Amino acid sequence: LMLAEPMSLERLRRVVDKRFLAYSRFRQKAVDTASGAWWQDDADFDLDWHVRPAALPGRGNGRGVRGETAEKRALERFVSQMASTPLDKGKPLWQFHLVERYRGGSALIARIHHCYADGIALVQVLLSLTDTARDPGKDKNLARAWLKQDGAEVARRVGAVERYTKLGGRMLGKGMEMVQDPTLAA
């Protein structure tokens, strides 16, 4: 994401904490074992590990056409490096890297594993980090405000996935009880 105005790391952390983490799934890590896969709350969740500063090497002063081109290439190299670096499976599988000074504003690189949602839903979750106006108002429900009706529908579906996952877990538990004691099936 290219931001027209500079953003500080502290401000980004506040936005991620308030808006991104409003979706409880992003505080969870995927656990995959021989007996199955499930979501588990990360007891050691650390926002500072997930929202990190980044610097572009060799970008110079960024002035003029050559400077902007070099800066863009440096950002592209950094994004390529991040795309080919695996996320830590012992933590929730996402990170934000903020380049605080990029072309007069900032650049934000989001790394989110596809296990959290499909591409369209993730794009819309990312849009929930942004506002359509400079001053959005204090009491707005930001998790559903970003794309008006379309966004509310996606937020509803993302919440439904969480509910269905919990229901599936309960059904699996009951099924395991019936396997252990077949008389329960009656």
Side-chain angles (χ1 to χ4, degrees), residues 45-156:
F45 183 82
D46 179 11
L47 184 60
D48 291 340
W49 189 88
H50 292 280
V51 181
R52 307 176 73 126
L56 300 179
R59 64 181 199 166
N61 63 12
R63 293 186 184 149
V65 175
R66 284 188 183 167
E68 286 182 12
T69 301
E71 195 172 28
K72 181 180 179 198
R73 284 187 187 141
L75 180 64
E76 289 170 348
R77 280 192 303 274
F78 180 70
V79 169
S80 177
Q81 179 185 8
M82 289 293 97
S84 61
T85 303
L87 292 161
D88 183 345
K89 291 182 180 181
K91 301 179 184 313
L93 298 172
W94 61 270
Q95 280 185 322
F96 290 105
H97 298 268
L98 179 67
V99 178
E100 290 187 64
R101 286 175 280 145
Y102 180 76
R103 292 190 171 181
S106 295
L108 179 63
I109 298 93
R111 302 176 62 208
I112 305 172
H113 195 279
H114 66 272
C115 67
Y116 285 93
D118 67 18
I120 302 271
L122 283 177
V123 166
Q124 293 184 335
V125 166
L126 288 175
L127 287 175
S128 74
L129 298 174
T130 66
D131 293 312
T132 56
R134 184 175 283 279
D135 184 15
K138 293 184 181 193
D139 296 329
K140 233 178 176 184
N141 183 351
L142 295 169
R144 290 181 169 76
W146 24 273
L147 289 177
K148 302 203 181 339
Q149 297 300 359
D150 292 339
E153 178 61 22
V154 171
R156 185 189 65 72

Side-chain angles (χ1 to χ4, degrees), residues 1-33:
L1 300 171
M2 308 301 182
L3 308 172
E5 297 178 10
M7 174 175 261
S8 71
L9 186 63
E10 184 53 40
R11 184 173 175 205
L12 175 61
R13 284 185 176 134
R14 285 192 310 267
V15 169
V16 169
D17 188 42
K18 181 177 180 182
R19 298 181 186 188
F20 189 74
L21 294 177
Y23 301 99
S24 60
R25 174 70 71 225
F26 294 110
R27 287 185 181 272
Q28 297 178 325
K29 57 186 174 181
V31 177
D32 189 13
T33 65

